Amino acid sequence: MKILYRFHDGKHLPIVDIKLKSCDGWYNTRAYVDSGASYSLFHADVAEILGLVLESGELIEMTVGDGDSLKVYIHRIKIICGGEEFTASIGFSKGIGVGFNIIGRKDIFDWFIVCFHEQEKFLELTYLNRTASNTFGAIVSTRYTL
Amino acid sequence: MEIVPQKYAGQYVAWVDGNIVSSGKTQLEVFNSAKKLCPEKEIIVEYAPTKKELITFL
């Protein structure tokens, strides 16, 4: 799937649509794809929207860019990203210093080959079909939608 | 694709049918406002970055 970068105030940013399963449907939002982030990270109020009890997740401490640590609660939830539905570990925190939701590598990058086309301003997500007999996955499709 | 107007920089906005129906400082308040206004519609919440956040080291 080919996803055009989002345009904000003169800059093109690798921001994609993502759906998170909530207690009564799906929460549709957008998130910044950050290949340097170990985990996907959403603000704590998203956990509330989804009907999750924040502190019931697995608590981990993440180190952020300036060396500070951040308390993050990891929940396993169903998501739809790149047109595919699967379960992923998603972190929620009250201490995120930027407004963006962030898509990091854990689980999500296991399901896709992720290619940043900076010059052309698009992100390419190629879904890997994972089965028990094919743990490394096989490229099943490259779909192009603009 | 719709573009978030610059006046919303630093805020979250909720899109319904290509229109911004609510904005605010948290995703929760923006989502809840949009849900009240358009309970049956698909809502997409996104963040409009500030100028500083456009060049980000995450």
Side-chain angles (χ1 to χ4, degrees):
Chain A
M1 177 177 275
K2 189 175 177 179
I3 302 164
L4 291 177
Y5 281 15
R6 291 281 293 158
F7 184 78
H8 284 285
D9 198 10
K11 301 275 183 200
H12 293 85
L13 305 173
I15 291 171
V16 302
D17 288 2
I18 182 169
K19 296 181 183 213
L20 308 174
K21 189 86 175 87
S22 74
C23 52
D24 61 353
W26 293 92
Y27 175 59
N28 305 298
T29 187
R30 292 184 171 133
Y32 192 112
V33 180
D34 179 7
S35 63
S38 303
Y39 279 86
S40 298
L41 204 48
F42 287 72
H43 289 259
D45 60 348
V46 175
E48 194 173 335
I49 292 168
L50 301 180
L52 300 170
V53 176
L54 179 69
E55 289 82 6
S56 69
E58 179 195 354
L59 174 62
I60 60 169
E61 295 232 347
M62 287 186 189
T63 304
V64 294
D66 64 359
D68 278 353
S69 64
L70 189 65
K71 276 188 178 174
V72 176
Y73 294 91
I74 305 292
H75 289 259
R76 295 280 297 166
I77 57 174
K78 276 192 177 174
I79 68 168
I80 298 175
C81 184
E84 304 293 340
E85 181 178 330
F86 52 96
T87 301
S89 298
I90 302 289
F92 298 92
S93 177
K94 291 178 179 173
I96 304 174
V98 292
F100 294 114
N101 298 312
I102 295 159
I103 291 179
R105 296 191 311 276
K106 175 71 175 174
D107 291 333
I108 295 174
F109 279 50
D110 292 336
W111 288 93
F112 295 96
I113 295 170
V114 180
C115 189
F116 295 83
H117 294 261
E118 286 296 310
Q119 295 246 331
E120 295 89 357
K121 312 295 182 202
F122 73 88
L123 189 74
E124 191 172 11
L125 299 177
T126 306
Y127 182 62
L128 296 165
N129 186 23
R130 293 184 178 279
T131 65
S133 61
N134 180 15
T135 53
F136 292 102
I139 297 171
V140 291
S141 66
T142 303
R143 288 172 292 170
Y144 294 93
T145 53
L146 287 174
Chain B
M1 190 186 284
E2 67 277 1
I3 292 171
V4 185
Q6 213 175 324
K7 67 176 181 177
Y8 294 108
Q11 297 182 60
Y12 295 91
V13 299
W15 293 98
V16 172
D17 292 337
N19 299 305
I20 292 172
V21 297
S22 67
S23 64
K25 287 289 179 193
T26 71
Q27 292 180 74
L28 183 62
E29 66 170 283
V30 169
F31 177 74
N32 285 342
S33 300
K35 196 83 182 163
K36 268 186 193 166
L37 291 166
C38 315
E40 304 301 325
K41 296 279 192 172
E42 185 178 78
I43 299 160
I44 302 171
V45 176
E46 88 169 306
Y47 181 67
T50 61
K51 270 198 189 306
K52 264 187 172 179
E53 287 171 319
L54 289 171
I55 303 168
T56 303
F57 171 67
L58 294 173

